[in-house]
Amino acid sequence: AALLAYVDRAVRLPSRLRAVARLCLQDGATLDQAAAQLGITRETVRVHLRRLRAMQRAADAQAAQASRPAPGAGSTVNHSGAS
C-alpha cells in the first residue's frame, strides 16, 4: 500500500514503472501476467518493482531528513561568558 501511494505521488516516474506498479500492486497481476500484458520479460517486471521500492526508500529517507531540524537549530548558547 505504501509503495502504491508513493507511485501516486511521484510526478516524474517513468510510464513503464508506473504501468508495472498499477498492474502488480493495484490490479494484483502476477509478474508473469504483467510481463505478458506489457510485452516485457518477467525479470524486467521484477527489476522495475525493485527499482520502485528503492526509489520509495530514497524518497522516504529524503523526507525524513528534511523534517529533522538542522544540527544546532533551536539551541541557544550564550558565548558571551555572561550568566
Side-chain angles (χ1 to χ4, degrees), residues 4-70:
L4 190 55
Y6 165 73
V7 170
D8 288 339
R9 317 188 288 275
V11 176
R12 304 184 81 195
L13 193 63
S15 60
R16 192 58 73 131
L17 292 178
R18 194 176 297 277
V20 166
R22 290 278 174 227
L23 285 171
C24 294
L25 303 174
Q26 185 175 5
D27 300 344
T30 65
L31 297 179
D32 291 326
Q33 291 168 335
Q37 189 164 344
L38 295 171
I40 57 179
T41 67
R42 180 182 197 278
E43 180 63 18
T44 300
V45 172
R46 202 172 68 73
V47 167
H48 285 339
L49 288 171
R50 191 175 346 148
R51 185 175 299 157
L52 282 166
R53 288 184 190 101
M55 292 169 73
Q56 178 199 13
R57 281 192 301 273
D60 289 349
Q62 186 175 14
Q65 182 69 26
S67 68
R68 288 190 203 124

